[in-house]
Amino acid sequence: MPIRNDLRNVAIIAHVDHGKTTLVDAMLWQSGAFRANQDVKTQVMDSMDLEREKGITILAKNTAVEHMTDAGEKVTINIIDTPGHADFGGEVERGLEMVDGVLLLVDASEGPLPQTRFVLRKALAKDLPIIVVINKVDRQDARIKEVLDETYALFMDLVEDDQAHILDFPIVYCAAKAGRASLNMPDDGGFPDSDNLQPLFETIFTTIPAPEYEEGAVLQAHVTNLDASPYLGRLALCRIVSGTMTRGQTVAWCKHDGTVQNVRLSELLMTKALDRAPAESAGPGDIVAIAGISEITIGETLSDPENPQPLPLIHVDEPSISMTIGINTSPLAGQSGKNVTARLVKNRLDTELVGNVSIRVLPTERPDTWEVQGRGELQLAILVEMMRRESFELTVGKPQVVTRVVDG
């Protein structure tokens, strides 16, 4: 089967605050994505105000770095930066649909934590190759060897009998903030022996498989994320599984309900560092953004109009927490925000459903109140805070556990 050796797609997964976004920062700088005198904020992938304030990643995002291997080959590495908090697990599951392997980051002091187990289980379920990165080895309280033993124990606990080959994973020791990596274990609190991230780039190139494709296969592109542009409208982020896609092409839009509609792609964009640049065409393995389909949603497929072949829908774990969100019914309504009607609140919740695959909105007995289900209290609190900053006034109920009767 032919492969695209000039391309690698990789996701970075870890527990919250183990250094994923900081590592992406260093990879962007060392790949020449920024000018030497360019003013770039730290955690450059955290684009939302709330992400910067709380120091966590909320939405999975992708970037692309160009790397020159030791053999002189130019390789594009598409990197998906995923959230580390369990409440945003839907973003992790969606991000894993786009990649061929993962970097599992583990803090050299804290070791594997609950979300490390969660994201590792998701990666193992998809049988993705894994590179373990022991990060923050320069911490004064680092305990590198013990953390590595704990990581092996976690793998032993999760790996199935037919996945024993996964235990032979490569290990990279990293100090992301300093932009240094090594294949040799440093002393606790010491720096890796390399003064850059070249060992990490080379390990990605040799461990993460290049995208495979079938010559002459029909177009299949999976919609894994949505974005919006003030000039182009709704953008669909797709991973092209097979075939080629061109700007202005007519494609078959395979919808959730099983219907198929022919549509024309008005724009085709590819990621370069943090920007999206217009492209004439894209091939198997590429992650692209397309415009021209205003109602497209996550999990749908773009295929060949003559022979449409939809891909399986993206499935995420069920919600576990619910709470009610409704209009502000107090006598002081309208004093701190301007969006106070039930119609505006419902429209905003419906908008959230478009791009957030792990949230559900259900009606209640009251016409001005809705039950919102999500993966955790933080996820729902982030939604309420975002709506508050958008000048909505809300009445919020207390969180409750979602129950389900099985065979009862």
Side-chain angles (χ1 to χ4, degrees), residues 195-208:
D195 58 1
N196 56 34
L197 293 175
Q198 186 69 11
L200 175 62
F201 282 120
E202 287 297 319
T203 305
I204 291 173
F205 181 67
T206 55
T207 305
I208 306 300

Side-chain angles (χ1 to χ4, degrees), residues 106-113 132 134 137 140-154 169 171 173 185-189:
V106 182
D107 189 297
S109 171
E110 296 178 357
L113 291 175
V132 171
I134 308 296
V137 295
Q140 293 305 307
D141 55 350
R143 45 187 192 92
I144 301 171
K145 191 171 187 314
E146 292 93 326
V147 165
L148 186 56
D149 291 341
E150 291 171 10
T151 305
Y152 271 112
L154 177 61
F169 50 78
I171 303 159
Y173 304 93
M185 184 186 296
D187 297 329
D188 289 345

Side-chain angles (χ1 to χ4, degrees), residues 128-142:
L128 295 171
I130 297 168
I131 299 171
V132 171
V133 179
I134 308 296
N135 194 27
K136 305 186 183 181
V137 295
D138 54 328
R139 284 182 59 158
Q140 293 305 307
D141 55 350

Side-chain angles (χ1 to χ4, degrees), residues 130-397:
I130 297 168
I131 299 171
V132 171
V133 179
I134 308 296
N135 194 27
K136 305 186 183 181
V137 295
D138 54 328
R139 284 182 59 158
Q140 293 305 307
D141 55 350
R143 45 187 192 92
I144 301 171
K145 191 171 187 314
E146 292 93 326
V147 165
L148 186 56
D149 291 341
E150 291 171 10
T151 305
Y152 271 112
L154 177 61
F155 271 83
M156 294 290 289
D157 198 23
L158 296 178
V159 165
E160 302 288 343
D161 292 340
D162 60 346
Q163 293 181 309
H165 62 281
I166 290 178
L167 293 172
D168 191 24
F169 50 78
I171 303 159
V172 180
Y173 304 93
C174 192
K177 190 171 282 189
R180 298 173 66 170
S182 172
L183 301 180
N184 303 314
M185 184 186 296
D187 297 329
D188 289 345
F191 283 100
D193 56 20
S194 171
D195 58 1
N196 56 34
L197 293 175
Q198 186 69 11
L200 175 62
F201 282 120
E202 287 297 319
T203 305
I204 291 173
F205 181 67
T206 55
T207 305
I208 306 300
E212 294 182 344
Y213 64 97
E214 193 176 322
E215 288 280 9
V218 299
L219 171 66
Q220 285 182 305
H222 216 178
V223 180
T224 54
N225 201 359
L226 297 174
D227 204 349
S229 162
Y231 309 106
L232 300 171
R234 180 177 296 186
L235 298 176
L237 271 67
C238 310
R239 158 79 188 253
I240 300 177
V241 177
S242 62
T244 57
M245 186 180 283
T246 57
R247 184 192 300 175
Q249 178 181 2
T250 298
V251 299
W253 168 25
C254 305
K255 304 181 186 180
H256 274 294
D257 58 9
T259 60
V260 178
Q261 178 183 340
N262 286 358
V263 291
R264 181 178 175 276
L265 306 181
S266 61
E267 186 58 276
L268 177 67
L269 306 169
M270 294 183 69
T271 304
K272 292 185 178 178
L274 298 176
D275 301 319
R276 292 195 182 111
E280 290 301 322
S281 65
D286 281 326
I287 296 173
V288 299
I290 58 101
I293 313 175
S294 60
E295 299 296 323
I296 196 167
T297 60
I298 291 171
E300 296 180 333
T301 303
L302 299 177
S303 191
D304 187 281
E306 304 295 325
N307 182 20
Q309 297 182 10
L311 293 162
L313 298 175
I314 296 174
H315 294 287
V316 299
D317 290 348
E318 296 285 317
S320 56
I321 294 285
S322 75
M323 69 183 189
T324 57
I325 294 180
I327 63 170
N328 185 0
T329 55
S330 78
L332 300 178
Q335 295 204 3
S336 62
K338 60 179 187 288
N339 298 324
V340 296
T341 65
R343 178 182 63 83
L344 292 172
V345 173
K346 181 65 167 67
N347 287 346
R348 176 62 180 81
L349 292 174
D350 287 343
T351 302
E352 187 68 22
L353 287 175
V354 171
N356 195 332
V357 293
S358 59
I359 274 187
R360 294 180 185 170
V361 178
L362 306 174
T364 64
E365 297 173 353
R366 293 174 55 102
D368 58 2
T369 303
W370 297 268
E371 179 186 350
V372 180
Q373 297 181 347
R375 296 281 277 271
E377 293 181 11
L378 177 61
Q379 183 187 30
L380 297 178
I382 291 289
L383 173 60
V384 170
E385 175 62 13
M386 284 166 51
M387 292 179 70
R388 186 190 69 79
R389 295 185 181 200
E390 294 165 14
S391 290
F392 284 90
E393 286 194 5
L394 306 170
T395 301
V396 179

